[in-house]
Amino acid sequence: MVPDHPLTDDDRLSAIIIGGGITGLATAWYLEKAGREDGLNLSVVMVERENWLGGKIRTLNEDGFIIEGGPDGFLTRKPWALDLTNELGLSDDVVYIQAAGTSLLRNGELHPIPRGLMGPAPTSRRDVWSATFLSWRGKLRANLEPLVRRRKAAGRESLGNFLRRRLGAELTDTLLEPLTAGIYGGNSYDMSLDALFPMLEQWEQRYGSITRGMRESKKFAPGHRQPLSPLFSFGTGAHQIVRAIADSLERTEIIRGRAAVAVDRMEAGYPPRYRVTLDDLQSFESDVLALATPAQDAASLVRSFAPGLTRLLERMRSSATGSIHMAFRCEEISHPLDGSGFLMPRSETGLVTGCTWTSSKWPSRSPKDYVLLRAFLGRSKDDSFLEYGDPELVEVATETLRPLLGIRGAPERAWVHRWAEGMPQYRVDHTEWLGGVDQESAEYPDLFLCGASYRGIGVPDCIRQGRDTAERIRAFALQDSRRRPAQTLNV
C-alpha cells in the first residue's frame, strides 16, 4: 500500500477491537500489516470476553481425536481464508476433505445426492432424473425450470419462495431447503435471497434460468485453476489459523476473559475519542473502535451515543445450533460410511438435523480403529435441544443414527457443543436493514461494525470483513494522521 500522504515516526493510530473471534483477529492482523506497509505507529487493544480466542472456531485435541465445536473446514471457492492461510505461512499444514458424496434421509432411508444437485441449483437434468428421493412429478417440475418466466414483480423475495417458484416445491423442500439450512441454520422461506445468494437473481435475469446460470458459472476461464477440493482445514484442526494469527500479532494487546460493558464517545475535544470500560472497571481510550461482535452485543455497547443505530442492531436475530461428536469402534458400525454424511429435510422429525461422518471426511481426526460421527442439532425457531442434558442428547443422537448406520452399542466417548446464539439470521429484509445500519453508522466515521451479522456468515466471509475493516481504519487514519496510543486509564 502507498500512503495518501507521508506519515512521520510520530504519527500514531490507537484502536480498540471488541471481539476476539476470527473477524476481530483478521482485523488486527490486516491492521498491523497495513501499519507496517504505511509506517504507521500503531497501538491496538483487543478485548475478548471469553478465555479463548476464535469465537466459534474451537478445537479440542484429545487422545488422538480432533473435535470441532464449530466449523470443521473452510470453503475454497471463497478465497479469503486460503489467502490468509498462505500469508500466515500455513500452506504446508493444509489438508483437504477426503470424502466425496453426501446422502439425504428420506422416508427413513439414506439416498445418495447426485453431484449435479449439490448446489443452490441443479447443473444436470440427468442427475435430477436419477435422484431416488424425488417422485417423477418432482423431477419433471424441476427440469422445467428453464421454461419458467422471469419474475417481474417488485419487492424482495425469500430464498425458499424463489427456489420453489423456479424449481418446484418438492425439490426445494426435500433437498435445497436442508442444504441451505445446514449452512445458515435457518428456514429458507425466511432467508434473504439477495443477501445470501444474489447470483440466483442475476442468473434468472441474465439467462432466464438458474439451471443455465449454474452451468455457466462452472465454466472456468482459460488459465483459471479449479480448487482441488471444496473444503480445507489444518492437520491439527480449524483452530490452527486462530493460533497462528494470535502468535503473529506484535502491536496488539490481547485481553481475554474480560467483557466490555460500556462504551462512551467523548466529543469534547478533536478528534473525538472512545472510552471502553471493562467488567473489572479497567478503561481504555482510543481513536477508533471496531465492534467485531454479534449485532445484538454491539447494540448494547453503542446505546449511550447512537440510539438509532442501537434500535437497528437490536433487530438482528440468531438461531441456536449444536452438535454431538460420538466415537465408536469400527466394528460397531456396519455402514461403509462412504461419503461425508447426510442431510435431513424438515419432514424427518426429531432433534437431529444431519450427520457428518468425520472419520471419512477428515481421516486424521480419529484413531484408525475408531469411527467418529458428528450429529447436528437445531433448526430455525426450534431450540428445544437446549433443554436437554448432555447424556440425553447423546442417547437421542445414538438412537436416531442406530438404524441408519447399523450401530451396535453406545459410543465409547462423546462431546457435546451448544451455541444458544449460534447463527445470525439474514431475513428477507436483511439488505434494507444493512443499508439502515450503514446510514446510521456513517455519522460515526471512527466506528466500524463487522462480523457474521452483516456481510457473510462463514469464516472466509468474516476474514474478508476483517480485512476490509482494517483497510477502512487505515483510510480513516490517513485523513488525520496525528493520533495518540490507546491508554489504560484506571484499574
Side-chain angles (χ1 to χ4, degrees), residues 43-58:
S43 172
V44 182
V45 174
M46 175 183 289
V47 179
E48 169 52 51
R49 65 184 176 188
E50 304 294 349
N51 288 314
W52 66 86
L53 298 175
K56 294 179 179 64
I57 303 178
R58 295 196 64 187

Side-chain angles (χ1 to χ4, degrees), residues 11 23 26 114 128 151 189 192 211 240 278 305 342 368 370-371 388 424 426 433 435 445 454 471 486:
D11 289 335
T23 309
V128 172
R151 179 175 183 259
Y189 291 95
S192 169
T211 303
Q240 189 169 342
L278 309 187
F305 62 89
F342 68 87
K368 291 184 178 180
Y370 280 89
V371 165
Y388 289 70
Y426 287 18
W433 174 84
Y454 304 100
E471 179 57 31

Side-chain angles (χ1 to χ4, degrees), residues 200-214:
L200 293 179
E201 280 187 304
Q202 296 165 10
W203 292 342
E204 179 182 39
Q205 296 304 316
R206 180 175 180 180
Y207 300 107
S209 165
I210 60 173
T211 303
R212 189 177 300 119
M214 189 73 169

Side-chain angles (χ1 to χ4, degrees), residues 249-266:
L249 295 177
E250 298 176 346
R251 306 185 190 183
T252 303
E253 177 186 357
I254 300 175
I255 300 174
R256 288 184 271 191
R258 290 288 179 269
V261 295
V263 173
D264 297 297
R265 193 169 191 265
M266 301 173 293

Side-chain angles (χ1 to χ4, degrees), residues 232-432:
F232 81 96
S233 188
F234 304 95
T236 60
H239 204 264
Q240 189 169 342
I241 193 171
V242 172
R243 293 194 302 270
I245 297 173
D247 291 345
S248 70
L249 295 177
E250 298 176 346
R251 306 185 190 183
T252 303
E253 177 186 357
I254 300 175
I255 300 174
R256 288 184 271 191
R258 290 288 179 269
V261 295
V263 173
D264 297 297
R265 193 169 191 265
M266 301 173 293
E267 300 188 11
Y270 181 82
R273 300 271 285 175
Y274 285 99
R275 175 184 291 141
V276 176
T277 303
L278 309 187
D279 55 8
D280 62 355
L281 301 185
Q282 187 178 23
S283 297
F284 295 89
E285 284 188 10
S286 70
D287 301 308
V288 300
L289 176 65
L291 299 181
T293 68
Q296 303 95 310
D297 294 340
S300 66
L301 293 173
V302 303
R303 190 181 308 277
S304 66
F305 62 89
L309 181 59
T310 298
R311 287 190 292 271
L312 277 171
L313 295 176
E314 287 176 336
R315 286 170 47 189
M316 172 57 68
R317 294 292 180 266
S318 299
S319 64
T321 61
S323 67
I324 308 167
H325 283 83
M326 297 177 288
F328 296 88
R329 292 277 182 180
C330 290
E331 60 270 17
E332 293 181 335
I333 294 185
S334 61
H335 194 284
L337 303 179
D338 49 351
S340 61
F342 68 87
L343 306 169
M344 294 176 63
R346 291 179 180 270
S347 58
E348 302 288 335
T349 59
L351 294 180
V352 175
T353 59
C355 181
T356 289
W357 304 331
T358 302
S359 50
S360 298
K361 188 176 179 181
W362 310 102
S364 63
R365 299 199 173 178
S366 63
K368 291 184 178 180
D369 51 345
Y370 280 89
V371 165
L372 186 61
L373 307 177
R374 186 183 190 185
F376 290 92
L377 309 165
R379 297 185 189 275
S380 174
K381 302 176 184 177
D382 181 9
D383 60 0
S384 58
F385 73 92
L386 295 174
E387 302 172 3
Y388 289 70
D390 287 2
E392 294 175 285
L393 288 176
V394 173
E395 182 178 0
V396 168
T398 302
E399 294 309 312
T400 300
L401 299 179
R402 188 182 302 283
L404 302 173
L405 306 181
I407 296 176
R408 296 184 296 274
E412 289 196 12
R413 310 181 71 160
W415 301 262
V416 179
H417 289 88
R418 297 176 177 83
W419 302 101
E421 300 287 335
M423 199 74 73
Q425 297 297 287
Y426 287 18
R427 294 177 291 188
V428 176
D429 64 347
H430 184 80
T431 301
E432 285 82 4

Side-chain angles (χ1 to χ4, degrees), residues 54-65:
K56 294 179 179 64
I57 303 178
R58 295 196 64 187
T59 305
L60 172 66
N61 289 268
E62 189 175 291
D63 299 329
F65 293 98

Side-chain angles (χ1 to χ4, degrees), residues 469-485:
T469 299
E471 179 57 31
R472 291 165 58 207
I473 293 174
R474 169 191 171 273
F476 174 80
L478 293 177
Q479 294 174 7
D480 187 354
S481 63
R482 300 294 293 187
R483 301 289 172 185
R484 292 165 287 177

